Amino acid sequence: MARLVVDPAFVVGAVDRRLFGSFVEHMGRCVYTGIYEPEHVTADADGFRQDVLELVRELGVTAVRYPGGNFVSNYDWEDGVGPKDQRPRKLDLAWRAIEPNQFGTDEFVAWSGKAGVEPVWAVNLGTRGIKEAVELVSYTNLPAGTELPDRRVANGHEAPYGIKVWCLGNEMDGPWQIGHKTAEEYARLAEETANAMRRVDPGLELVACGSSNSGMPTFGEWERVVLERTYDLVEHISLHAYYEPRDGDQASFLAAAEDMDRMISSVIATADHVKALKRSDKEITLSFDEWNVWRQQDFPGELGLGIREVGPLIEDTYTVDDAVVVGSLLITLLRHADRVKIACLAQLVNVIAPIRTEPGGAAWRQTIFHPFALTAKYAGPTVLRTAVDGPEVETAKFGKVPALWSTATYDERTGEIAIFVVNRSETDKIDLEIPLAPGLTVTEHLALYDDDRGAVNSAADPDRVTPRRIDGTELVDGVCTATLPPASWHLIRLT
Ligand code: AHR
């Protein structure tokens, strides 16, 4: 038995809708035969797969980061604009695939418009620097009248794109990154680049690179050094994290949100430490611009990949448990909605993605699609704090943790409360009680779980795993009661 308390008076913060972002990288089949496949039967005049566009809209994604990822650290954006038959084929050093450059800046802006998402751009601070970043933001954001925006106009795009959010490089702390740097080297380059980009467009929102994951030896120190130099020039610091079951330890995997939660808290602490040192009134917010479940143990590493044409890469097939973990990570992001303003499920299509496609064939929803789509759809504008009194589970990685991981949102306009909760126990169902103010009713209770926790969706069986409607959840005498099976994700909507 567990008791969950929620009250519209206990507010965490407003939800920035960019929390429901995703990520498109020139990696594997995310772009080619993912979002872009001119030969596909559903392709529109731009070559965009409309079956994929429909799923992207259904997923409820709000912002999409592009073009990488590790790819961006050796990308020459100029190769991807202008007449397609004059664009070069080039070896991408990040993933060692031959980039055909048939999809680039103008195509991604057009695709974003059709998908109804805000593009979030990353600049190359690996092989390139200040000049190229300034030139790119001039190409995208300046009105006609000088060389670079005139090139955009010549390429058929009169109006400036007005791209607001820009990431200053990608994972620059990682030794795997082309052009990776020490914290001091990166901080200096980020400061200079941010300063120059703002001269082109003072309205930019800039994201400084944080650590690639919480296990990096420089985690914490990296953020301090970078923010001490860039504090006045950037709005956000980035975080990345990928989770996977290791050595059969599914209990720790189901509790992966503990790591994300601690990572967010410590980056906030570091940012606020720098704020105090600088005696600044400004608060740095967080862009969790890569997160997901990823079985990295199966990845051979960049040098394990031969030089080849673009083809499948890290196309993880997601299980029911993976979807429960993704649901719990979304709960964590919402729990920190006061400081996390942007978050990107990495990636969007085929590459560790909620949407899978076959070249020339079908597109379908992976298991992780469902908790994301339902959270994006039903999370209200304000996050409320939840307090849970209930059982704990023992994990090898995090020790004893609460079995239930939860958050709630409130919509003042409609009075709707949405409760998101995961049962992280592998063995025990939990009977949950939620005392509520008079007048509320249960609109619906949707859940994701399965007797076969390893079940997956596939082209042959695309709806093997879908959310179920739970009928037994009721509200009697001001108490809502629900039963949560082991390893399950839930959305309880109350009006
Ligand atoms: O999303 C896959 C890769 O993971 C990205 O390119 C990189 O930023 C991260 O290490």
Side-chain angles (χ1 to χ4, degrees), residues 23 25 27 69-70 95 170-171 240 242 290 294 347 352:
F23 174 40
E25 175 167 4
M27 175 179 183
N70 297 347
W95 308 115
N170 176 72
E171 294 190 349
H240 290 182
Y242 293 101
E290 285 186 36
W294 173 10
Q347 298 186 6
I352 45 171

